[in-house]
Amino acid sequence: DAKTTQPTSMDCAEGRAANLPCNHSTISGNEYVYWYRQIHSQGPQYIIHGLKNNETNEMASLIITEDRKSSTLILPHATLRDTAVYYCIVRVVSSGSARQLTFGSGTQLTVLP
Amino acid sequence: NAGVMQNPRHLVRRRGQEARLRCSPMKGHSHVYWYRQLPEEGLKFMVYLQKENIIDESGMPKERFSAEFPKEGPSILRIQQVVRGDSAAYFCASSPLRGDTEAFFGQGTRLTVV
């Protein structure tokens, strides 16, 4: 699976948008971009995923560049409960099978009051 | 639809004992993944199973660790003759047969070896 590069840490003011970048310059055509987060001591939580189109759900938006070499996760109105480690993962998916998620170091997002 | 259920949530074992960790995937999910998170470290993949089959065990230690996902019942991660270095949080995730969907994680089992 393609490697990803994320900043080690970021701060964001409560109520503002949090924009978390991820570089995945070696991504291949059958790899999806997934975002998960892990709040301290809890199991990872799925946020969103996409292949090449921008995606939005109730938690976040995912913006993928046209060349797919990078993406940005946007939390539109960050709250204190969004403080967590955010993982950007690229994952090979094929019919009937899905490779495991390979977690890097992620970005520690701290939402400040 | 209940989420991924792991039990026990906390497990204490003495060195040399066996640890059995159970994972019940979400209903309709036939893929199970186990991950380990050592203290202050990231999540590391251990094994990927489908019903009655081990698909990828490239992350499993060669000795003392085994995993199964029987036709009926939960997936089991078994650690024989535990050592202090096995103390960690063990997470299970499941996803449905259709691969291009998210994997859902359980809350983990925290194993402490004393």
Side-chain angles (χ1 to χ4, degrees), chain B residues 49-97:
Chain B
L49 310 104
Q50 293 183 21
K51 286 282 187 181
E52 300 184 279
N53 285 304
I54 297 175
I55 306 302
D56 181 352
E57 56 182 345
S58 58
M60 286 277 271
K62 295 285 184 258
E63 297 178 350
R64 301 187 297 108
F65 285 72
S66 62
E68 63 177 8
F69 187 18
K71 186 176 180 181
E72 302 290 339
S75 176
I76 305 289
L77 179 67
R78 182 181 176 207
I79 312 171
Q80 296 178 290
Q81 299 175 315
V82 296
V83 301
R84 288 229 171 103
D86 297 332
S87 295
Y90 292 83
F91 293 98
C92 166
S94 75
S95 65
L97 178 62

Side-chain angles (χ1 to χ4, degrees), chain A residues 24 33 46-47 56 94 101:
Chain A
H24 31 79
V33 180
Y46 165 82
I47 301 173
T56 295
S94 58
L101 298 160

Side-chain angles (χ1 to χ4, degrees), chain A residues 9-113:
Chain A
S9 64
M10 292 180 63
D11 292 340
C12 176
E14 188 178 17
R16 303 296 292 269
N19 297 286
L20 293 95
C22 180
N23 286 321
H24 31 79
S25 58
T26 60
I27 193 170
S28 57
N30 64 345
E31 288 182 313
Y32 285 67
V33 180
Y34 282 77
W35 282 85
Y36 281 77
R37 71 180 182 184
Q38 187 176 25
I39 297 170
H40 183 63
S41 297
Q42 297 184 19
Q45 178 187 21
Y46 165 82
I47 301 173
I48 199 166
H49 75 284
L51 184 61
K52 52 185 175 183
N53 297 321
N54 297 338
E55 302 286 345
T56 295
N57 63 20
E58 65 278 4
M59 287 184 69
S61 295
L62 173 61
I63 309 298
I64 303 174
T65 57
E66 194 167 338
D67 63 7
R68 303 212 317 128
K69 293 183 185 297
S70 66
S71 60
T72 301
L73 178 74
I74 301 171
L75 306 179
H77 305 286
T79 71
L80 298 178
R81 287 177 293 181
D82 292 322
T83 292
V85 179
Y86 286 76
Y87 297 98
C88 168
I89 300 163
V90 289
R91 182 188 192 204
V92 172
V93 176
S94 58
S95 176
S97 176
R99 293 270 301 276
Q100 70 274 13
L101 298 160
T102 301
F103 289 83
S105 302
T107 296
Q108 171 65 59
L109 174 69
T110 303
V111 180
L112 303 170

Side-chain angles (χ1 to χ4, degrees), chain A residues 34 36-38 42-46 89 91 98-103, chain B residues 2-7 21-37 43-51 53 55-56 67-69 73-77 89-99 101-109:
Chain A
Y34 282 77
Y36 281 77
R37 71 180 182 184
Q38 187 176 25
Q42 297 184 19
Q45 178 187 21
Y46 165 82
I89 300 163
R91 182 188 192 204
R99 293 270 301 276
Q100 70 274 13
L101 298 160
T102 301
F103 289 83
Chain B
V4 178
M5 302 301 291
Q6 290 188 250
N7 65 81
L21 289 63
R22 286 177 290 277
C23 169
S24 296
M26 289 181 69
K27 186 177 180 180
H29 286 194
S30 58
H31 301 251
V32 166
Y33 312 80
W34 285 93
Y35 293 80
R36 177 168 66 174
Q37 189 168 34
L43 290 132
K44 302 295 183 189
F45 166 75
M46 299 181 75
V47 62
Y48 165 28
L49 310 104
Q50 293 183 21
K51 286 282 187 181
N53 285 304
I55 306 302
D56 181 352
E68 63 177 8
F69 187 18
S75 176
I76 305 289
L77 179 67
Y90 292 83
F91 293 98
C92 166
S94 75
S95 65
L97 178 62
R98 181 181 159 205
T101 57
E102 61 271 28
F104 292 89
F105 282 79
Q107 289 304 300
T109 293

Side-chain angles (χ1 to χ4, degrees), chain B residues 11-23:
Chain B
L11 182 62
V12 179
R13 284 288 177 265
R14 295 185 185 279
R15 282 178 294 172
Q17 291 185 319
E18 178 180 285
R20 281 187 179 237
L21 289 63
R22 286 177 290 277
C23 169

